[in-house]
Amino acid sequence: MVNQDTQVARTYHQATKHSPWSVQANRHYLDWNNQPLQFKVYIEGEKISLPRDLVATNYAAIPAIANPGLANREEVFPDLAQVAYLLYYSAGITKKLVYPQGEIAFRAAACAGALYPIEIYLVCGELPGLSAGVYHFSPEDFSLVRLRRGDFRTHLVQASGDDSDVAQAPLSFVYTAITWRSSWKYQARAYRYHYWDCGTILANSLAACSAQQLPAKVGMGFLDEQVNQLIGIDGVDEKSLCLLPVGRAGAQTPAAPELTILNPPVLPLSGEQRPYPLIDEIHLNSRLFDSDEVRAWRESVTPADPVGEFDADRLTRLEPVDFYHAEEGKSLEKVIVRRGSSRHFKMEAISIQELNSMLQAATQGFMYDWPEPSEGFLNRLYLSVHAVDGLPAGKYRYWPEQAGLELLEEGDFRSQAAYLCLGQQLGGAASVTVFFLADLPAILSRSGNRGYRITQMEAGIIGGKLYLTAYALGRGATGLTFFDDEVVRFFSPSAAGLDAIFVTAIGVPATSSHPQGRLVYMAPGRGG
């Protein structure tokens, strides 16, 4: 049971921490002549064009973001148009930056460095407009590539340890990461980015499912090798990260055809790829090896974590937000299409009501399959508040169950927040910078090395929900990297013993220009 050797995860996390010394000592440079392709291109295979005239739901963005993963127990089958909607608004090309010498395609969800390591596969039974099979989504030309004919869902059910939601889903998405796309820039730390980038896409996917009234659940407990074999990847260069069963079918999943070897030829990513053994080690040693181990991992009893206590005298309680009846506001479609990572912030304030909506929408929760942490989330949110009307500037911890912000220390910490974010001014110019911290030793003790995966993924999902809510309110957001141990020290003693996981900066966006470039918004489905 390699998953239980948690020293592997601790070694990886420690080795990939940023510090002022490690950043200065790193001689890595970007070899632009060896930059990997942003699209996976199958040399052979039947292509199925997705519908390009997507029907807008006009579903209000914030309720969709706040209430994903509907617990719908009635039969609901997505049709091909809904499949196209989900794929476009989670990973489709929404805009292009056109230069005289070429263009850069941007997608629906944010991605660190715009490297887009995440690929999406579909495993489905017979759907209206789409035959049963295994498919790969190609955002480049907005199509599906058929990899297998027939209903192979039973293999996914077995790989998930007979998860009831996977068994009842007429469609499941499989999200993978092509490591070289990220490690080309971020080296061994790229494994963290895989989950941040995938989590951000999942935030879009869950909101899109909510807008379409489709139940969905994030699945992290599965047999990697069986899923890899099903979709035809090697599990090393390209890794399975999670499942997302969508919809609900009443009938039992039929027996599946035999799982033959699938190794379709694809275009090479670049001239050469550099391996990072640390990434291979953490991923291979966080695998589960049989259905019993998957079930035991998913159903394990979670011990109480030492989450600490808040000081009631220093707690600002926020008004509850009724997201279920919030019908007004920008539609989810408009928010996703217009979203883009903020490159500059004005040093201006947002309101405490806006911050409250962002925090509560991001932490409303979503359906998932990993062991329930005692405090509701694996990650704890710490804030460096710089300019929020109605709230003194300072360091805070957010307590989701109390919907309250505990003031840890009052003061102007803009310069310190920028320093913590590797000296990036966005971290200090933001109205508020949100730091995700987690008790990794406690998480690893109950979930093994796979606990490292779920911690990073949860941070990406919550960060992605913060991102979308900020844009729904007309604000901006961006994800940032950070000096790990310096973040913990900054928020200590409250954060003592925790590990820094992720950072999202939120603020008033400044108009940014693209020298010699022109930003072109793409109509839904017009990615190619």
Side-chain angles (χ1 to χ4, degrees):
M1 298 177 69
V2 297
N3 184 54
Q4 299 305 314
D5 181 10
T6 57
Q7 187 56 44
V8 175
R10 292 302 307 168
T11 297
Y12 172 81
H13 190 71
Q14 187 66 32
T16 58
K17 285 182 176 180
H18 279 328
S19 69
W21 177 87
S22 71
V23 170
Q24 290 178 7
N26 191 349
R27 300 304 179 202
H28 180 67
Y29 69 95
L30 296 183
D31 182 358
W32 295 103
N33 293 323
N34 196 42
Q35 182 179 9
L37 293 175
Q38 287 192 344
F39 301 100
K40 185 173 185 178
V41 180
Y42 288 88
I43 296 173
E44 303 170 352
E46 177 189 359
K47 283 203 170 187
I48 299 167
S49 296
L50 288 165
R52 295 180 177 272
D53 297 320
L54 304 184
V55 177
T57 65
N58 293 317
Y59 199 98
I62 294 180
I65 298 159
N67 305 311
L70 304 169
N72 189 340
R73 296 297 165 184
E74 299 178 358
E75 287 192 17
V76 53
F77 287 78
D79 59 24
L80 184 60
Q82 289 176 304
V83 170
Y85 178 99
L86 299 181
L87 290 170
Y88 177 74
Y89 287 108
S90 59
I93 296 173
T94 56
K95 59 186 76 72
K96 291 183 178 181
L97 192 56
V98 180
Y99 292 96
Q101 63 271 31
E103 59 186 33
I104 301 173
F106 295 102
R107 306 192 197 179
C111 174
L115 300 173
Y116 303 110
I118 306 304
E119 299 289 334
I120 303 179
Y121 298 79
L122 290 71
V123 181
C124 66
E126 290 290 331
L127 299 178
L130 186 64
S131 300
V134 178
Y135 301 88
H136 171 263
F137 170 54
S138 172
E140 185 177 25
D141 58 3
F142 203 58
S143 70
L144 299 178
V145 177
R146 192 196 306 271
L147 302 176
R148 296 185 187 273
R149 287 182 177 272
D151 191 339
F152 286 84
R153 287 177 295 155
T154 293
H155 292 291
L156 211 57
V157 174
Q158 294 169 350
S160 70
D162 299 315
D163 180 276
S164 59
D165 290 288
V166 177
Q168 286 292 308
L171 161 70
S172 286
F173 294 113
V174 181
Y175 298 76
T176 71
I178 297 179
T179 288
W180 177 237
R181 286 212 193 113
S182 288
S183 60
W184 170 78
K185 180 175 182 179
Y186 297 114
Q187 301 173 275
R189 195 173 166 98
Y191 191 66
R192 303 191 194 194
Y193 284 84
H194 287 352
Y195 293 94
W196 303 342
D197 292 337
C198 188
T200 305
I201 290 176
L202 281 169
N204 283 41
S205 300
L206 290 166
C209 285
S210 181
Q212 289 287 344
Q213 300 294 297
L214 293 167
K217 184 180 82 172
V218 180
M220 298 285 288
F222 56 87
L223 304 177
D224 290 42
E225 292 182 359
Q226 189 166 346
V227 172
N228 295 341
Q229 185 181 359
L230 175 63
I231 61 177
I233 65 173
D234 64 0
V236 178
D237 293 336
E238 185 174 355
K239 303 167 173 64
S240 295
L241 300 185
C242 77
L243 313 177
L244 187 73
V246 173
R248 186 158 298 277
Q252 187 175 4
T253 307
E258 180 183 354
L259 204 59
T260 56
I261 295 175
L262 179 65
N263 187 25
V266 297
L267 289 181
L269 287 179
S270 58
E272 59 177 316
Q273 299 184 35
R274 177 181 173 182
Y276 287 91
L278 275 173
I279 293 179
D280 295 339
E281 187 174 10
I282 177 62
H283 194 72
L284 294 175
N285 283 279
S286 54
R287 289 175 297 169
L288 304 173
F289 283 91
D290 58 47
S291 295
D292 289 339
E293 189 179 2
V294 173
R295 284 190 287 269
W297 178 85
R298 187 166 56 231
E299 297 166 5
S300 60
V301 176
T302 302
D305 291 335
V307 296
E309 296 181 356
F310 58 84
D311 184 342
D313 293 334
R314 299 177 69 83
L315 191 74
T316 299
R317 292 191 180 273
L318 305 171
E319 292 293 326
V321 180
D322 184 3
F323 294 112
Y324 291 91
H325 298 96
E327 300 297 337
E328 298 181 357
K330 297 178 182 177
S331 71
L332 179 67
E333 294 92 356
K334 289 181 179 178
V335 168
I336 289 177
V337 168
R338 288 289 170 179
R339 182 219 59 81
S341 296
S342 296
R343 301 173 64 190
H344 303 283
F345 288 125
K346 298 177 183 177
M347 296 177 67
E348 297 179 2
I350 62 173
S351 70
I352 191 171
Q353 292 81 10
E354 289 172 320
L355 178 60
N356 182 24
S357 292
M358 294 177 203
L359 291 172
Q360 291 198 42
T363 56
Q364 280 289 104
F366 48 91
M367 294 180 66
Y368 54 80
D369 71 342
W370 54 82
E372 183 81 21
S374 61
E375 69 274 25
F377 291 100
L378 302 168
N379 287 270
R380 305 171 194 180
L381 304 189
Y382 285 80
L383 285 67
S384 183
V385 172
H386 310 136
V388 176
D389 288 335
L391 198 64
K395 306 176 189 178
Y396 289 82
R397 176 174 171 182
Y398 179 61
W399 295 85
E401 293 186 0
Q402 287 73 30
L405 285 165
E406 180 188 9
L407 177 62
L408 304 177
E409 183 179 355
E410 189 170 345
D412 182 353
F413 296 104
R414 282 191 187 272
S415 60
Q416 292 92 327
Y419 166 74
L420 294 175
C421 299
L422 266 61
Q424 299 172 92
Q425 290 305 309
L426 283 164
S431 305
V432 58
T433 304
V434 183
F435 295 82
F436 295 66
L437 292 92
D439 186 348
L440 277 181
I443 294 167
L444 298 176
S445 70
R446 67 172 176 259
S447 297
N449 291 319
R450 211 169 185 92
Y452 193 75
R453 298 191 190 188
I454 62 177
T455 303
Q456 301 288 356
M457 185 72 85
E458 184 198 79
I461 294 172
I462 296 174
K465 293 175 71 177
L466 273 175
Y467 222 117
L468 286 176
T469 311
Y471 277 88
L473 294 169
R475 302 309 189 181
T478 191
L480 299 170
T481 193
F482 46 88
F483 291 132
D484 294 66
D485 292 341
E486 298 295 320
V487 169
V488 175
R489 277 191 281 271
F490 179 72
F491 288 106
S492 288
S494 176
L498 304 182
D499 283 279
I501 303 297
F502 189 55
V503 176
T504 303
I506 299 165
V508 180
T511 303
S512 60
S513 60
H514 302 277
Q516 300 180 338
R518 180 171 53 91
L519 191 63
V520 178
Y521 288 94
M522 311 301 294
R526 306 291 176 180

